[in-house]
Amino acid sequence: VQIVESGGDSVQAGWSLRLSCAASGLTFGYYTVGWFRQAPGAAPGKGYETVAEMSGVSDGTTYYPESVKGRFSVSGDSAKNTLYLQMNSLKPEDTAVYHCAAQQVGASGYNYWGRGTQVTVSS
């Protein structure tokens, strides 16, 4: 299984970005999928914040924390087996490494993770 994120960039506050997450070896539609971010300076493997979750690529139930609700949107393309995170009205506090992950049905946590893509927002 391989999950690869892309689309990270350095932008100014107020701009938009769309992150992509492509998977091989699994079909997103059969998993709960999510986007997480790790703020600058966090210890490896620590300090992850959920920014979006979706129960399957076929536009299932979504969840957003208050910090991004109304600005971020998760979606998927089943044909491309790709997940997206549309981020609008970006703020400096959105600066982080963004990771995509997939959770197998019945698993207690996210089984598969990508290495992440850097998003930097300057004021």
Side-chain angles (χ1 to χ4, degrees), residues 24-93:
S24 58
L26 65 81
T27 301
F28 274 139
Y30 298 126
Y31 291 75
T32 293
V33 293
W35 285 95
F36 304 83
R37 65 187 179 188
Q38 189 180 31
K46 303 289 185 181
Y48 288 100
E49 176 190 8
T50 304
V51 294
E53 291 184 292
M54 184 168 69
S55 55
V57 175
S58 56
D59 291 334
T61 303
T62 56
Y63 162 79
Y64 305 95
E66 286 299 322
S67 58
V68 306
K69 192 176 290 185
R71 300 189 298 123
F72 289 14
S73 177
V74 60
S75 63
D77 185 328
S78 299
K80 297 181 179 179
N81 202 31
T82 298
L83 189 69
Y84 302 101
L85 182 68
Q86 178 68 41
M87 305 187 295
N88 300 325
S89 302
L90 282 163
K91 304 176 181 180
E93 52 263 43

Side-chain angles (χ1 to χ4, degrees), residues 4 8 11 20-21 26 38 43 60 82 108 111 121:
V4 179
V11 298
S20 298
C21 173
L26 65 81
Q38 189 180 31
T82 298
S108 59
N111 309 75
V121 185

